[in-house]
Amino acid sequence: MKKVTKATYLKWYEDMLFWRKFEDKLAQVYIQQKVRGFLHLYNGQEAILAGALHVMDLEKDKMITAYRNHVQPIGLGVDPKRVMAELYGKATGTSQGLGGSMHIFSKEHNFYGGHGIVGGQIPLGAGLAFADKYFKRDAVTLTFLGDGAARQGSLHETLNMAVKWNLPVVFCVENNGYAMGTSVARTSKGTEIWKLGQGYEMPCGPVDAMDPVKVAEALDEAIKRARKGEGPTFLELKTYRYRGHSMSDAQKYRTKEEVAEYQELDPIAKVLKEIQDKKYASEDEIKAINKRVKDKVTECEKFADESDFPEKNVMYDVVYEQEDYPFLAHKPQ
Ligand SMILES: Cc1ncc(C[n+]2csc(CCOP(=O)(O)OP(=O)(O)O)c2C)c(N)n1
Ligand SMILES: [Mg+2]
């Protein structure tokens, strides 16, 4: 695995903090009704993305996930200003403002969404891997899904075919403890989700996903296996989400103490502690990072605020290909 160095830790700290603050800003502007619809935040799960990006080949490896999807494209290189604009429904967004919070997408950056149907992205991830194998592109797809999605039928059909066809895909279950308000233990007898891989004779295992190093190590092994043509891996990344499922969640299914317990394990605090313990940065340098992050978030908000909404015609242009809109009596103005 690529060495985890001082530079890695500093990058992790800045990136993870930015993702956290980006999400916090979205929560704030959501309340101001600048963002409509649903809003699912990634707070607490940042070590997964940081670890994954450390070991992916960013030129060709792909990523696909569910609706908790704002920060992954940013990690892959999408301009965060455009991600925020997408959430605002603005024309400068990644999908011209037509996708919204659950559908960030950038093929150019190997990010294939952003999917609102729970478990819908699982077969799509295998399909991306099938295409890469078929066209001999030597690329691997990381398919992320939640603990709730792991109980969808699509998972089982996909695992069966992926292992049978030796597809270059890594299934990464982000087990954050809950599917909306339903705990893992409420929906299944076995709570060790990684064991589902055993039923398909697929390499599988649990990972402490509050630590980016642990995530990177597990994913590095899985990605290497996939690239060598040895097929898929099924990982359970044990994590936690600090905020509600989406913005309208009274969180009656858990206690404040439980959240506080996991906040003790906070992945960003862990990375910062390593930086401080190893003296990778002075307090002034850390303050400078914090300021850069804050300014960058403000820039995103300003960009989204100042961007225009799409023209009404865009609605038709993205649905109909023909110039003359044959199904409509009048061409919309
Ligand atoms: C097919 C389908 N069923 C139900 C829903 C409603 N729903 C949205 S999110 C969610 C919970 C999924 O939880 P999990 O897979 O653990 O992901 P997390 O939200 O924790 O990231 C449900 C049931 C949906 N969007 N799609
Ligand atoms: Mg979950």
Side-chain angles (χ1 to χ4, degrees):
M1 183 175 92
K2 197 170 77 188
K3 247 182 120 185
V4 175
T5 61
K6 167 182 164 178
T8 315
Y9 269 101
L10 290 173
K11 178 172 168 42
W12 276 347
Y13 177 65
E14 185 155 350
D15 284 353
M16 291 164 78
L17 188 68
F18 178 67
W19 304 333
R20 173 90 45 102
K21 298 291 178 192
F22 186 88
E23 296 287 58
D24 286 344
K25 175 58 74 183
L26 284 173
Q28 192 189 329
V29 297
Y30 186 86
I31 291 163
Q32 299 165 3
Q33 299 193 341
K34 289 179 180 174
V35 172
R36 306 299 180 101
F38 294 111
L39 185 73
H40 311 88
L41 306 176
Y42 202 61
N43 298 35
Q45 303 184 207
E46 296 90 349
I48 295 176
L49 182 57
L53 293 171
H54 184 68
V55 292
M56 286 173 75
D57 181 336
L58 297 178
E59 289 290 311
K60 54 189 176 189
D61 291 345
K62 301 180 173 64
M63 210 183 256
I64 185 167
T65 187
Y67 40 78
R68 212 173 285 290
N69 74 138
H70 317 144
V71 296
Q72 295 88 342
I74 295 173
L76 288 169
V78 177
D79 182 345
K81 296 201 290 297
R82 296 196 60 210
V83 175
M84 192 159 295
E86 184 60 37
L87 278 128
Y88 273 58
K90 297 290 181 81
T92 50
T94 42
S95 298
Q96 302 176 57
L98 301 168
S101 87
M102 299 200 284
H103 304 107
I104 311 296
F105 200 98
S106 177
K107 184 167 178 241
E108 193 194 336
H109 297 89
N110 298 319
F111 185 70
Y112 286 79
H115 296 270
I117 303 298
V118 171
Q121 79 279 19
I122 308 170
L124 298 181
L128 290 167
F130 180 89
D132 282 336
K133 185 177 163 119
Y134 188 83
F135 292 110
K136 299 189 171 40
R137 288 193 285 236
D138 193 34
V140 178
T141 298
L142 301 190
T143 300
F144 290 95
L145 57 133
D147 44 280
R151 302 302 176 184
Q152 290 288 72
S154 61
L155 177 106
H156 298 278
E157 297 176 38
T158 305
L159 291 196
N160 184 52
M161 295 180 104
V163 77
K164 176 72 189 144
W165 291 341
N166 256 348
L167 299 183
V169 56
V170 186
F171 298 101
C172 308
V173 180
E174 298 189 66
N175 180 2
N176 58 13
Y178 297 94
M180 300 183 84
T182 307
S183 72
V184 171
R186 257 186 87 190
T187 46
S188 41
K189 182 162 189 289
T191 53
E192 292 189 86
I193 296 172
W194 63 271
K195 288 186 177 168
L196 290 175
Q198 291 177 337
Y200 296 92
E201 300 184 22
M202 194 183 287
C204 54
V207 181
D208 167 9
M210 298 305 263
D211 181 348
V213 179
K214 300 269 168 53
V215 174
E217 283 168 355
L219 279 176
D220 186 57
E221 193 189 316
I223 289 173
K224 281 192 180 130
R225 182 181 302 122
R227 225 185 292 284
K228 273 193 284 182
E230 293 172 9
T233 301
F234 186 80
L235 298 173
E236 178 189 350
L237 305 165
K238 291 175 184 279
T239 182
Y240 198 75
R241 74 164 148 72
Y242 298 150
R243 286 185 173 272
H245 167 72
S246 71
M247 290 301 284
S248 52
D249 177 358
Q251 303 185 50
K252 292 198 173 135
Y253 49 87
R254 64 181 179 185
T255 60
K256 287 205 172 86
E257 290 72 33
E258 181 184 295
V259 180
E261 206 178 293
Y262 278 95
Q263 276 168 334
E264 288 289 306
L265 308 171
D266 185 64
I268 302 178
K270 192 181 188 80
V271 166
L272 179 59
K273 185 168 182 314
E274 188 74 13
I275 289 171
Q276 288 166 331
D277 288 353
K278 296 242 173 82
K279 303 206 181 333
Y280 285 160
S282 67
E283 285 308 310
D284 279 349
E285 283 162 337
I286 293 166
K287 270 191 203 146
I289 296 175
N290 296 348
K291 173 153 186 343
R292 257 202 315 273
V293 163
K294 196 167 175 231
D295 292 348
K296 210 163 113 187
V297 172
T298 308
E299 234 179 82
C300 292
E301 184 187 12
K302 187 166 183 291
F303 178 81
D305 268 331
E306 290 174 359
S307 291
D308 291 324
F309 284 107
E311 297 291 330
K312 284 192 186 120
N313 265 14
V314 169
M315 297 275 282
Y316 297 92
D317 293 342
V318 294
V319 176
Y320 301 109
E321 210 173 324
Q322 290 100 325
E323 268 289 290
D324 54 352
Y325 302 101
F327 307 110
L328 299 171
H330 304 286
K331 182 170 175 167
Q333 295 307 306

